[in-house]
Structure formats: structure tokens, C-alpha cells
Amino acid sequence: MSGRRAGLQVRRPGTLRTVAVLVRRDARIALGGVDGFASVLPFVAAGVVLAGLVLGPDPAALRTTAPGLVWLLVLTAAVPLARLVAAAERDEDSWDMLRGLVPPGVLLLAKAVVLWGALAVTWSTGTLLAVLLLDGAVTVAGCAAAVLGLVGVAASLTVFGALLAASARGAGLLAALVLPAGLPALLAGTQAGVADEPWPWLALLVAYDLVAGATSWAVFPFLLEE
Amino acid sequence: MPRTPAPGGALLPTAAVTASGAALVLALLVAPEDAVQGPAQRLMYVHVPAAWVAYLAFAAVLVCSVAYLVRRDLRFDRCAQAAAELGIGLTALAIGLGMLWGRPVWGVWWTWDARLVTTTVLLLVYVAYLGVRRMADDPHVAARRSAAVGVVAFLNVPVVHFSVVWWRTLHQPPTVLGPEGSPPIDPVMAWALAAGVVAFTLLAVLVVRRRVAGLRAAGAEPAAVPPAAGAAPVITVVPGGGR
Amino acid sequence: MTRPAQRRRTLSLRLLVVVGAVGGALALLGVSGLADTLVYYRTPTELLAEPPPEDERLRLGGLVQVGSLERVGSEARFAVTDGVATLPVVYSGALPAVFAEGQGAVVEGWLGGDGVFVGDLVLVKHSNEYRPVGEAG
């Protein structure tokens, strides 16, 4: 296995090149495609506006709930974003070819990078809206928690996205898997932004990234063989 | 179910019934009443075994999932499904019994405590796992995907177990599986608890074996495995998985 | 890639990495001081060191101080201690049957400006010790 991969790497473009090509292609889908920001960002905006309506008008209540609300919206938005894992390939009908060409680890890396970017944009949009509409606050620790927490979410989401890449069924099931898998990010991401002492929460997020990354890497190849 | 060898087939049910009877007598009659909690504490003899054997069942899902990924034998997949179903049932039972125990002792049915929340999440994750199993029509595709999810899902088990150690919770820290050397429990109570665990484990093996036989009969894999070969590994895999 | 022996080797490497990552995560959580962050209740020492805003609803936990419990009508007054600091509590309502002096309790409510904790829900926190009647721990 390792020999085969080493042999392939001599003839093929470098890992970074492959990742860059894949990321560029998927980023275009995220920016312009129906599975990308076109559906997710309006959803997050609607979530923040409706939360202001039902949780208001007490500004203190809005301020308290804002960070957790943003994370909950990001995790919910992650469910449709998981379609990005194979969106470009579905359009071109090239998923089978791609997983034959690119080693699983490289594919996982590329797809997770795209999802991380998409999730980061979603979180930033949600946070910006929460600051504008719900009187929320942005802290350095909160942003660091988003950077760290979304790594683990993106890794798990890539696995779940690949799980559904070849099947039209089970979109609702994805939500049942993604929300629990994102629980550490939801909890620690929310708390790190508001706690006096953010370090333990950031440490929890690093631990989460470590476990989610390693597990995703371990099971991802099995989801690619069809 | 259909053609299990007679002596081994009768041994397990007998042992399970005996252990259950012994556990019942020990828990209800022999074990002394708890000084602080009174009779409600006797729920421990079913609540704790249910939770432990649920962990064991999820460990069996993990082992069977890995075994499937190595061997690509649907026998392991059926085993994983049966263990997951049992684990879900036992987790729900542990939550239900915990609520019954919590109402008289804590004073509430439910509270937003780390142990309670993580256990419920564990339950939901395995319900979703059963959903993944039904996503593909090809049994091998379904088995491979669910095996991947079965490995990932097990990460929740240590979180549930350590939730009361890591964080300050209302739920008490572990008594027997705790970090300290000598468990702070009366010896007779400990024996009653041990009998409960043995009874639950034997009953669990019995249930899983039956379910696996049923799944094999329902599965579309005629004559791939000789009928008698299916039952034996199940017995060895399930208890061996968690220890 | 299709032979079981080869698959087993690949898989055991992958499992080893996962086990290593979980071990690393556990070690990291062990040294991170996470235990002080996700708390179901706060102790009297913590509440006295960092008084919360007056309208913040919170949980106070500790042992019910021996000899502090008095019932006046439907109102109960007792003190919750963590061995270092003690806070007086006022609670109106029925106390759980297991509630007793010297036992653990968690009270939900507000810390008043006069330093008295006004509770509206009392939960009994029992320890992980199980002893028969008549045998002191």
C-alpha cells in the first residue's frame, strides 16, 4: 500500500498541487453553486433575525444567547454544506474517477480545507450579524475558538459528506450525525468567547481536532471504496 | 436459533436465568438498605449494569466494525447491528432508570448535567448509526459505511464515562470504576451489583445471539456460511470485545 | 489492498493512530484545567471570591452545614459549606425527602445583595458512597 502510493507520487503532481487544484474547484462551487453560500448565508441570516424576534426584546437576553446561537446555526448550516464534499464531482459525474486517482489522505485534506473555509465564512457572517442585530460581542478568544473548533467540524463533516456522496437518501440522517459530532465545538466555541479564562476551552478544542482528525483519516479510505 | 448444538445452547440460557434470579434476590432481599438514600438506592442494581452493558455493547459494535473492515464478512456486520440495537435499548433503560432514581433522591427527573446530556447524545448517535445501516441496498456497501460510523461513534463512550470525572456534575462520580483503589461501597452491596452485571451480560449475549440468528435468517445470503458456524463466533466476539 | 492480512496491517496502523490521538487528547484535557470550567454548580468559596451580578441565576453546591437547618412555616433556612466558606440559604418549598444536614445539596437561585442565597429549587447531591443503615461511613 505504501509502496503503491510512493510510486504514484513520483508520477503525479505533488500533494500540495493536488490539494490546491481540488480546493480551487470546490471553492468555486461554494461561492457560486446552489450547495454553497447562496443557500447557507441566507439561512444563517434568517436564523439570527428570527432569533432576535423570538428571544427579544430584552437586549441582555439577546447578548447572552448570541454566541451559542451563532454556533448552533453554523452546525445546522454544516448539514447542507456537507454536500460540498462531492458537489463538483456530482456535477461532472467524476467522483468515481477522482477517488481512483487521488490518495484518500490527500482527498480528505482537500475536502476538509474547503469545508473549513466555508464554515469559517458562515461563522463570520453569523457573528457579524449577531454583533449588528443582537448586540453580540467579538473577542479574540472567540475567534481563536472558531479557527480551532471548525477544524474538527470540517474533518467530521468530510467523512459524513463522503458517506452520502454516492447516495441520494439520508440527507436528514446527516443532521443527526453532524450535530452530535460538533458538540465539542458548539460547547467550547461558545464558552471560549465568553469565559474569563479561555485557555481550557481552547485546549479542549485542540483535543477535539486531534481526535476528529485522526478518526476521520482512519475511516475515510473505507468510504471511498465502492 | 435453528441448529445450535444442544449442550452449549442450553447452558447459556440456564446461566442467564440463574444469574438473574440470584441478582434479584441479592438486590431486593440480601443487600442492606442504603443509610442515606433508602430504598431508592436499590435502583442502582439495575441502573449501573444497564449502563455498563450498554458500554460493552457499543464496544462490541466497535470490535465487530473493525472485524468487518478487515475480513469483509457480513457475519460481523450482523453482529454489529445486533449489538448496537441492544446498546440503544440498554442506554434508554439506563436513562429511564436514572430518572426514576433521580426523582426521589436528587428531587428532579432531569437536569442539564454533563453526564445526563452526554448519555442522551450517545443514544442519539447510535440511533443515527442504525439509520446509516439502512441507507444502502447493497449489504456490503451498507456494512462498510456503518462500520466506519460504528468506529467513529464509539468516541462518545469515553466522553460519557469521564464526564463525571472531568467536570463538576450533579451525577456522582463512579464508585467501582473510579480512579481510587478501594471502591467506597459496602461489600454485600458490591456483590449484589456484581450479580446484576453478570446477569445483564449473560442476558445481553443471549439477546444478541438470537437477534444475529434472526438477521442471518432474514438476510439475502443463502448458504454462504454453514448454519452452525454463525452462532459460535458471536458468543466469543461479544464478551471478548469489551474486556 | 484486497487481502485480509494486508488490510489488517493497514487498519491496525490506522487504529494505532486513533488510539494515540485519543491518548494525546486525554493527556491534554488532563493538564488543561477543564474541571474548573464546565461546572454544574459553584462553591461558596467561588461565589464569595467572585460575586456574580445580582440578577444572574446560578447553582450553589456544597454540604448542608450540620446544625444549620431550621424550618419556619414553609420556609427553610440552612447554610451550605465547602469546608472553607459558608453561605446562608433561604428556600421556600418542600425539601426532597433525602435532604439532610451533613449531606450534599445543590440550590438553584440568586445571590442576594445581603449575602443570603435565595433558592427556588433544591437538589440533593449524593456521594458515590453506599453504606448500610447504622454503619457510619
Side-chain angles (χ1 to χ4, degrees):
Chain A
M1 165 112 186
S2 59
R4 193 192 67 151
R5 193 179 291 172
L8 270 176
Q9 271 170 352
V10 177
R11 281 180 280 115
R12 296 174 33 75
T15 302
L16 274 180
R17 277 284 302 279
T18 315
V19 170
V21 169
L22 287 172
V23 167
R24 212 173 306 137
R25 206 174 54 145
D26 285 349
R28 217 172 298 140
I29 302 268
L31 288 171
V34 73
D35 284 323
F37 299 137
S39 58
V40 165
L41 295 188
F43 163 73
V44 171
V48 173
V49 170
L50 291 188
L53 187 66
V54 293
L55 302 175
D58 180 11
L62 292 179
R63 208 176 307 128
T64 324
T65 44
L69 173 77
V70 170
W71 271 101
L72 201 57
L73 284 173
V74 168
L75 283 189
T76 321
V79 178
L81 280 178
R83 303 294 282 182
L84 278 179
V85 167
E89 291 75 14
R90 238 191 328 269
D91 292 349
E92 303 168 0
D93 203 14
S94 61
W95 179 245
D96 291 315
M97 195 180 73
L98 185 71
R99 63 176 192 229
L101 280 177
V102 183
V106 178
L107 196 56
L108 173 71
L109 182 64
K111 298 295 180 183
V113 166
V114 173
L115 285 182
W116 185 89
L119 288 166
V121 170
T122 311
W123 184 85
S124 309
T125 310
T127 305
L128 184 70
L129 287 171
V131 169
L132 292 176
L133 301 176
L134 307 182
D135 198 16
V138 191
T139 60
V140 179
C143 295
V147 169
L148 285 175
L150 292 179
V151 173
V153 177
S156 324
L157 201 57
T158 312
V159 168
F160 297 137
L163 198 68
L164 291 186
S167 106
R169 274 184 279 167
L173 196 60
L174 199 58
L177 290 166
V178 168
L179 285 179
L183 187 140
L186 173 73
L187 180 68
T190 305
Q191 292 298 327
V194 293
D196 302 327
E197 226 7 88
W199 295 113
W201 294 113
L202 297 179
L204 174 69
L205 287 173
V206 172
Y208 168 59
D209 292 346
L210 204 63
V211 172
T215 321
S216 303
W217 171 79
V219 300
F220 193 64
F222 298 108
L223 297 173
L224 293 184
E225 20 170 312
E226 291 285 303
Chain B
M1 191 175 71
R3 251 178 283 166
T4 25
L11 190 65
L12 186 63
T14 316
V17 169
T18 314
S20 308
L24 214 59
V25 170
L26 279 171
L28 290 179
L29 302 174
V30 179
E33 190 161 294
D34 186 75
V36 178
Q37 300 179 34
Q41 180 267 339
R42 292 190 196 276
L43 277 166
M44 179 185 78
Y45 305 120
V46 275
H47 170 75
V48 172
W52 282 356
V53 179
Y55 289 169
L56 192 71
F58 293 141
V61 176
L62 173 72
V63 170
C64 293
S65 298
V66 171
Y68 174 80
L69 289 176
V70 173
R71 305 296 292 272
R72 303 299 159 114
D73 187 338
L74 285 178
R75 216 165 52 185
F76 297 115
D77 180 57
R78 289 192 286 265
C79 190
Q81 177 177 353
E85 288 167 353
L86 177 79
I88 289 171
L90 285 174
T91 309
L93 183 68
I95 293 174
L97 290 170
M99 289 170 114
L100 285 182
W101 190 4
R103 185 65 185 87
V105 174
W106 292 346
V108 289
W109 296 104
W110 172 268
T111 182
W112 294 105
D113 173 276
R115 168 57 74 85
L116 277 58
V117 175
T118 51
T119 310
T120 310
V121 168
L122 179 75
L123 177 70
L124 296 175
V125 165
Y126 276 92
V127 171
Y129 163 85
L130 283 190
V132 170
R133 304 193 54 87
R134 292 170 30 192
M135 251 170 46
D137 294 323
D138 179 357
H140 277 284
V141 173
R144 192 158 34 72
R145 290 189 189 156
S146 51
V149 177
V151 172
V152 175
F154 189 74
L155 293 174
N156 286 286
V157 173
V159 175
V160 172
H161 181 73
F162 285 110
S163 59
V164 287
V165 182
W166 288 338
W167 292 307
R168 194 191 293 163
T169 55
L170 180 66
H171 193 286
Q172 68 278 18
T175 298
V176 179
L177 297 178
E180 304 100 44
S182 61
I185 182 169
D186 177 75
V188 182
M189 293 176 167
W191 278 111
L193 181 61
V197 173
V198 170
F200 264 72
T201 311
L202 291 175
L203 287 173
V205 174
L206 210 62
V207 168
V208 168
R209 201 174 67 164
R210 250 193 100 82
R211 178 68 176 141
V212 167
L215 286 172
R216 190 179 54 213
E221 205 196 18
V225 186
V234 171
I235 304 167
T236 50
V237 164
V238 171
R243 280 183 198 156
Chain C
M1 190 61 197
T2 46
R3 281 207 311 280
Q6 215 166 6
R7 268 204 301 258
R8 197 178 305 134
R9 223 172 315 126
T10 323
L11 197 64
S12 52
L13 168 77
R14 287 178 179 275
L15 281 178
L16 216 62
V17 170
V18 171
V19 169
V22 170
L26 287 181
L28 190 64
L29 290 181
V31 299
S32 68
L34 200 67
D36 300 328
T37 52
L38 188 69
V39 294
Y40 183 77
Y41 56 89
R42 288 190 251 175
T43 62
T45 309
E46 287 168 355
L47 282 185
L48 290 174
E50 285 177 56
E54 215 165 290
D55 56 344
E56 189 183 313
R57 187 181 170 84
L58 45 88
R59 299 191 187 102
L60 164 74
L63 292 178
V64 180
Q65 198 169 44
V66 176
S68 70
L69 177 64
E70 46 181 301
R71 293 171 209 249
V72 186
S74 67
E75 199 178 75
R77 289 175 173 273
F78 52 92
V80 169
T81 178
D82 56 11
V84 180
T86 305
L87 264 181
V89 177
V90 184
Y91 169 72
S92 45
L95 289 169
V98 183
F99 185 89
E101 291 178 351
Q103 290 295 322
V106 174
V107 191
E108 276 188 35
W110 295 264
L111 184 59
D114 52 355
V116 176
F117 194 90
V118 184
D120 55 15
L121 179 68
V122 170
L123 308 175
V124 171
K125 177 174 168 58
H126 61 89
S127 71
N128 61 340
E129 288 188 18
Y130 302 96
R131 302 279 175 228
V133 182
E135 187 189 308

